[in-house]
Amino acid sequence: MDLFNINISSRAPGAGKLLVAEPFLRESFFNHAVIAMIDCDPDKPSMGVVMNQETGHTLDTLVEDISVQGIPVYCGGPMSCDRLYYIHTLGPDILPGAGEISPGLWIGGDFKSMCGYVEAGYPLDGLIRFFIGYSGWERGQLDGEMEQKVWAVADMPQPPSRLLSTTGDAQWHEAVRSLGSPYRTWLYHPRDLRAN
């Protein structure tokens, strides 16, 4: 029965932390999701970005100022799917106006500077990742999901570039391993139950 135990106490979520989806969460946006929390205040709405769900789109097909092909775009969540977000380790010196998520990790920044960086052919892996949409919770909603054990809370990987260089199920497995031995049995649950 230990295999099905997901009723493990977790820390409170916060900005600069990761939410790791419990293994039985089958909602398409959040199946084996790893979410970087951007804003998290119990008295306000919360915002995060799913880090590990590719859309199949590439940046050049979505942004007319980008001609470099093959840069993947991820699904950040079901809200504002007409907006592009980017999380990076470049910082405000390269992308002015970027907001710090946690030490060494930022979101957004000057759009023209971002396009110039990409078009110049600078490296992207581990440095910047692009998303359509975000994940949001109304005031109190995330607390309710935490009580239902929908999420576990993990620290950001170190260095922060690690968050931008792993993806898919591998990123979920890495985040679960970082939670320690109480979560070990989560690793036995495949993303697709038909693979069992």
Side-chain angles (χ1 to χ4, degrees), residues 43-114:
D43 297 322
K44 298 178 183 173
S46 296
M47 175 194 179
V49 177
V50 178
M51 298 299 300
N52 61 327
Q53 313 280 22
E54 286 194 44
T55 63
H57 295 290
T58 56
L59 193 62
D60 60 294
T61 64
L62 301 175
V63 179
E64 66 178 39
D65 293 339
I66 300 290
S67 63
V68 179
Q69 297 181 352
I71 301 168
V73 176
Y74 292 76
C75 178
M79 304 184 80
S80 292
C81 291
D82 59 343
R83 295 200 54 199
L84 181 74
Y85 299 87
Y86 34 100
I87 292 179
H88 54 89
T89 59
L90 303 173
D93 291 342
I94 295 174
L95 300 183
E100 191 173 44
I101 299 170
S102 64
L105 193 68
W106 289 268
I107 186 168
D110 183 68
F111 185 76
K112 286 186 178 179
S113 298
M114 178 278 289

Side-chain angles (χ1 to χ4, degrees), residues 32 34 51-53 74 166-173 191:
H32 277 209
V34 176
M51 298 299 300
N52 61 327
Q53 313 280 22
Y74 292 76
T166 55
T167 189
D169 223 27
Q171 190 162 37
W172 182 82
H173 278 83
R191 183 177 209 149

Side-chain angles (χ1 to χ4, degrees), residues 109-193:
D110 183 68
F111 185 76
K112 286 186 178 179
S113 298
M114 178 278 289
C115 291
Y117 181 89
V118 172
E119 283 294 289
Y122 290 118
L124 303 175
D125 188 45
L127 298 174
I128 189 167
R129 183 171 288 178
F130 300 93
F131 306 87
I132 298 172
Y134 71 93
S135 302
W137 295 264
E138 292 299 322
R139 185 167 62 106
Q141 182 183 1
L142 183 55
D143 289 338
E145 292 180 9
M146 294 301 298
E147 288 174 11
Q148 295 170 19
K149 310 298 183 190
V150 173
W151 310 102
V153 177
D155 290 324
M156 287 285 180
Q158 294 300 320
S161 58
R162 184 122 185 97
L163 185 68
L164 305 175
S165 58
T166 55
T167 189
D169 223 27
Q171 190 162 37
W172 182 82
H173 278 83
E174 183 174 301
V176 171
R177 282 193 295 275
S178 78
L179 293 168
S181 59
Y183 294 85
R184 184 184 78 250
T185 58
W186 283 23
L187 298 171
Y188 301 129
H189 301 283
R191 183 177 209 149
D192 183 351
L193 289 176

